[in-house]
C-alpha cells in the first residue's frame, strides 16, 4: 500500500481524509470463501451487510466515490478538469462536499470513445493522484492499464478501479497483486468503440452475475486477495436502459456474489432515458441528471451497496446518510 503519511483529518461536511495506517477498525465484515472465492454475504441491512475492503476505511454507511475526469472528452464533464491544478482542486472540493474516495481517470470510457496512448494517460493522471494524496485524500485510479495503475499507486492511490476487470491488459492483475491494493472488478464485455453492439442478454442479471463470478475467480487465481476485491455491475457498459434498470432493481442478488458492491450510475444514459419519458423525447444533458443520480444512490445505499460513484457529491452524500439513518431506525 502506498498511503500518504500522517493521521486522519476532518474536512468539510464531516468527510475524513485518511492518511497512512488510518483505516478504522471493522464495524462488521462479510463471509468470503478463499477456496471457492465467492461466499454468501450477510443479507441484513447496515454496515455489516456492505462488507469491508482490506486497506480502505470501514464506513458505517454506503461510501461515496467522487469522480475527477482529467480528460477533454468525457461524456459529462470533459475538459472541465483537464489541468492538474484544476483537477486537484476539484478533488478537494468533492471531499469537502462529503466524498470518501476520489476516483481519478485520464481516459474516457463513454460509448464510442477512442483510447488514448499510455504516455498521455500517465501525464494526465499521475500528477493529480500525487497532488490529492499529498493532501491526505483517499484516491482511486480509474484505468485499464497496468503501468498507469502501478505508477498511480506509487503516487499514493489506494484503490485500482479497472472498468475491464483486468481483461484489457494482461499485466493488470499481477501489478495489482504485487501492489497489494484493493481492486474493482467491473462487468465488461469490450472496449467503448463497440460496446453498444454487445448489449445482448437473455437474462441480464443471470449473465452479469455469471460473468462477474468468472472474472473474480480469475482475479483471485491471479493473486489478488479476495478481501481486497470490490465488484461493479458495469451500468451503461454493454447495456441499454432496460438492462441497467433491471440490475439496479436487483442489487441484493448481485450482493449475493459475496463481495462489496460499487454502483456507478452517475449521469448515465439510462437516467436520461428515464427522465425523457417518451421514447421520441430527447433526454436531458448529462449535467442535468444529478438529482436522478442521487435517487439511485439512495436506492443503492438502501439495498446494501458498499459505495456509489458520482460526479456531483453533495446530494449523494446526503442521500446515503439518510439511507443509513433509516436503516438505523429499523
Amino acid at each position: 500500500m502506498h498511503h500518504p503519511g500522517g493521521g486522519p483529518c476532518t474536512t468539510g461536511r464531516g468527510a475524513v481524509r485518511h492518511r497512512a495506517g488510518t483505516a478504522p477498525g471493522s464495524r462488521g465484515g462479510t463471509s468470503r470463501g478463499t477456496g471457492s472465492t465467492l461466499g454468501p454475504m450477510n443479507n441484513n441491512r447496515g454496515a455489516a451487510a456492505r462488507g469491508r475492503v482490506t486497506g480502505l476505511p470501514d464506513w458505517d454507511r454506503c461510501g461515496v466515490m467522487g469522480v475527477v475526469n482529467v480528460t477533454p472528452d468525457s461524456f459529462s464533464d470533459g475538459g472541465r478538469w483537464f489541468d492538474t491544478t484544476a483537477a486537484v482542486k476539484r478533488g478537494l472540493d468533492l471531499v469537502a462536499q462529503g466524498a470518501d474516495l476520489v476516483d481519478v481517470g485520464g481516459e474516457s470510457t463513454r460509448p464510442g470513445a477512442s483510447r488514448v496512448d499510455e504516455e498521455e494517460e500517465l501525464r494526465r493522471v499521475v500528477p493529480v493522484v500525487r497532488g490529492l494524496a499529498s493532501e491526505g485524500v483517499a484516491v482511486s485510479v480509474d484505468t485499464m492499464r497496468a503501468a498507469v495503475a502501478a505508477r498511480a499507486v506509487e503516487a499514493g492511490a489506494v484503490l485500482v478501479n479497472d472498468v475491464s476487470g483486468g481483461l484489457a491488459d494482461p499485466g493488470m492483475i499481477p501489478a495489482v497483486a504485487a501492489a497489494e491494493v484493493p481492486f474493482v472488478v467491473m462487468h465488461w464485455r469490450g472496449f467503448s468503440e463497440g460496446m453498444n453492439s454487445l448489449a445482448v442478454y437473455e437474462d441480464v442479471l443471470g449473465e452479469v452475475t455469471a460473468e462477474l463470478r468468472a472474472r473474480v475467480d480469475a482475479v483471485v487465481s491471479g493473486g489478488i486477495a479476495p478481501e481486497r476485491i470490490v465488484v461493479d455491475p458495469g451500468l451503461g457498459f454493454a447495456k441499454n436502459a432496460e438492462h441497467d434498470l433491471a440490475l439496479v432493481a436487483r442489487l441484493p442478488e448481485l450482493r449475493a456474489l459475496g463481495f462489496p458492491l460499487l454502483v456507478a450510475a452517475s449521469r448515465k444514459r439510462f437516467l436520461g432515458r428515464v427522465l425523457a419519458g417518451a421514447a421520441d423525447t430527447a433526454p436531458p444533458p448529462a449535467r442535468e441528471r444529478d438529482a436522478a443520480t442521487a435517487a439511485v444512490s439512495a436506492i443503492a445505499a438502501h439495498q446494501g451497496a458498499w459505495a456509489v460513484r458520482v460526479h456531483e457529491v453533495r446530494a449523494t452524500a446526503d442521500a446515503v446518510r439518510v439511507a443509513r439513518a433509516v436503516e438505523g431506525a429499523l
Side-chain angles (χ1 to χ4, degrees), residues 183-186 212 216 229-233 254 257 259-262:
F183 186 58
V184 177
V185 178
M186 197 192 82
L212 272 174
V216 170
I229 291 174
V230 175
V231 296
D232 178 343
L254 287 165
L257 281 165
F259 292 87
L261 180 67
L262 175 66

Side-chain angles (χ1 to χ4, degrees), residues 30-31 38-51 205 209 212 231 250-263 300-306:
T30 174
S31 60
L38 298 160
M41 181 176 278
N42 181 344
N43 285 322
N44 296 325
R45 290 191 178 100
R50 300 182 199 287
L205 177 69
T209 300
L212 272 174
V231 296
R250 300 174 76 178
L251 291 178
E253 292 169 72
L254 287 165
R255 287 176 48 244
L257 281 165
F259 292 87
L261 180 67
L262 175 66
V263 177
H302 184 65
Q303 297 200 84
W306 168 76

